[in-house]
Amino acid sequence: MTSSAPAPAPPTDGLDHLPRTMRALVKDHAGEGLGFESERHRPTLGPRDVLIRVRKAGICGTDRHIWQWDDWAAGRIPVGIVTGHEFAGVIEAVGDAVHNYAAGQRVSAEGHITAWRDYNSRTGNAHIARDTKILGVDRDGVFADFVVVPEENVWPIHPDIPDRVAAVFDPLGNAVHTVLAAGVSGQSVLISGVGIIGLMAVTVAKAAGAARIFCTDVDPKRLALARKLGADEAFNAAEGDGFIKAIRSATRGEGTDVLLEMSGAPMAMDQGFRALRNGGTAALLGLPARSVTFDFNANIIFKGCKVLGINGRKMWETWYRMEDLVLSGRLELDEIITHEFAIEDYEKAFATMIDGAGIKVLMNFE
Ligand code: ZN
């Protein structure tokens, strides 16, 4: 069922030196595509908020769902919302009660916004809070000249990290969270699905000291790139599950120590677990489109493996680890961030992402 967001009101924060309107990509109808608004009201800065001028924003798989208006999007996204959640920008103004940030600072932000009231928020696991609202999904997002986020969600960008890299901290954080939660140092790892986050997981796993990295996908171009980023072997799962045998014989007949499931495809999940050794660890990030039939007996119970569900990024542990990994110079991100478009060319940007010609596609607001 489709809901709608209230029409945006003019800003009432008295910041008269700033424009009262802005450019924005808006989910302006219940159907395919997004609308470009050139005079959307700028969001109002609240006392505990930070107002950020967006410089670069990344197109995520989530944004593709919203663009294509599939069942998930139709059930979740209010019509009228500004989309987008991956970005880098500069603080324009801070609310009266904000003391840790100031105008002029380069920042990104954690897009999962919680009220910090529930059990998990209060015990170090705010990434799985019950009351989370997501930027560009549940409230106005970053495909606009300005976005407002609570002070708690702001992440200052290290001076040595360029905007184009900081703009992908959200998906890179998914990869870092998954890889570090599973623990890959000295381990053999299978990454099933090398889309944007799967490819990021290859370079993160390599940097985090994985002993051997295997990948599967059905796209030969992505498999080739996975090899370039450090995968030892990349198998085309469309050619059948013979690769499971190959992985076993490369791992003393046991299977890999770790499975990082990034595809959400039922077949890949089954193959991935079959290639995992008894007692191994599986970290699942890929989202199946619907309920999956799965052999729990063979794949989990008798295997005695550990299964981790991965959601978002740990606040802020993942962000610190990610910053250190980026600063180490060991991550290969240039091959993953393939395209940049001006915001006015958003249709081209989405087409490049959706048809697979681009991997991570950025839009520029400058
Ligand atoms: Zn994203």
Side-chain angles (χ1 to χ4, degrees):
M1 205 191 61
T2 301
S3 60
S4 25
T12 54
D13 46 24
L15 296 170
D16 296 331
H17 64 291
L18 294 176
R20 293 177 62 77
T21 62
M22 63 180 189
R23 299 169 296 174
L25 288 186
V26 176
K27 188 74 214 184
D28 58 355
H29 66 290
E32 191 170 337
L34 294 174
F36 180 86
E37 292 185 12
S38 55
E39 295 199 45
R40 170 109 176 171
H41 288 305
R42 169 177 72 67
T44 293
L45 178 68
R48 300 183 58 203
D49 291 336
V50 170
L51 177 70
I52 302 164
R53 186 188 285 268
V54 176
R55 281 177 167 174
K56 289 185 195 295
I59 303 177
C60 177
T62 303
D63 303 314
R64 174 174 48 188
H65 291 297
I66 298 171
W67 177 280
Q68 294 176 329
W69 203 244
D70 59 14
D71 292 349
W72 171 82
R76 174 79 183 258
I77 306 298
V79 167
I81 201 173
V82 176
T83 53
H85 56 271
E86 305 174 358
F87 78 110
V90 177
I91 296 178
E92 277 287 348
V94 302
D96 292 338
V98 173
H99 302 294
N100 294 324
Y101 299 100
Q105 261 183 299
R106 288 169 68 233
V107 294
S108 184
E110 168 57 55
H112 288 198
I113 294 167
T114 154
W116 300 97
R117 274 195 297 252
D118 78 328
Y119 177 87
N120 281 301
S121 298
R122 292 167 62 87
T123 54
N125 289 305
H127 63 296
I128 47 171
R130 264 190 300 129
D131 51 10
T132 298
K133 299 255 183 293
I134 302 179
L135 272 186
V137 170
D138 303 307
R139 54 182 271 166
D140 278 349
V142 305
F143 291 163
D145 286 303
F146 296 98
V147 64
V148 156
V149 298
E151 173 184 29
E152 291 83 7
N153 282 65
V154 172
W155 176 260
I157 301 172
H158 190 283
D160 293 343
I161 298 178
D163 286 344
R164 65 193 294 272
V165 172
V168 304
F169 262 31
D170 174 289
L172 183 61
N174 287 138
V176 169
H177 185 187
T178 311
V179 170
L180 298 189
V184 300
S185 169
Q187 310 278 305
S188 57
V189 180
L190 169 60
I191 300 172
S192 53
V194 282
I196 299 168
I197 296 174
L199 288 167
M200 288 173 166
V202 173
T203 186
V204 172
K206 185 92 184 164
R212 300 205 64 178
I213 300 173
F214 305 94
C215 292
T216 59
D217 203 280
V218 293
D219 179 343
K221 243 180 46 196
R222 305 245 164 157
L223 289 167
L225 182 49
R227 274 190 212 100
K228 214 168 156 190
L229 295 173
D232 298 284
E233 310 251 16
F235 301 99
N236 193 332
E239 292 165 5
D241 57 12
F243 70 85
I244 297 173
K245 234 173 146 182
I247 287 178
R248 281 192 186 284
S249 51
T251 52
R252 303 178 199 92
E254 302 278 358
T256 61
D257 302 306
V258 172
L259 165 66
L260 307 178
E261 211 305 299
M262 300 281 180
S263 73
M267 169 91 85
M269 296 176 98
D270 178 62
Q271 291 170 334
F273 272 90
R274 280 160 59 205
L276 181 68
R277 75 161 161 78
N278 288 358
T281 299
L284 314 186
L285 182 81
L287 299 175
R290 55 193 65 82
S291 297
V292 171
T293 304
F294 187 76
D295 187 345
F296 277 82
N297 299 4
N299 285 336
I300 297 180
I301 300 168
F302 290 125
K303 194 162 272 231
C305 66
K306 189 155 99 181
V307 180
L308 307 171
I310 307 293
N311 179 13
R313 300 141 297 277
K314 292 198 85 175
M315 288 170 257
W316 292 86
E317 187 186 332
T318 304
W319 291 75
Y320 285 108
R321 297 287 77 79
M322 173 162 51
E323 181 177 272
D324 286 342
L325 282 164
V326 169
L327 292 172
S328 78
R330 288 191 209 121
L331 298 187
E332 304 273 353
L333 297 171
D334 287 346
E335 308 263 4
I336 297 174
I337 307 168
T338 53
H339 292 77
E340 291 193 36
F341 292 92
I343 179 60
E344 282 78 8
D345 293 329
Y346 70 99
E347 285 177 306
K348 251 190 264 169
F350 271 85
T352 303
M353 192 268 186
I354 290 169
D355 73 16
I359 299 174
K360 178 52 76 182
V361 176
L362 301 182
M363 294 188 291
N364 278 309
F365 288 82
E366 290 178 295

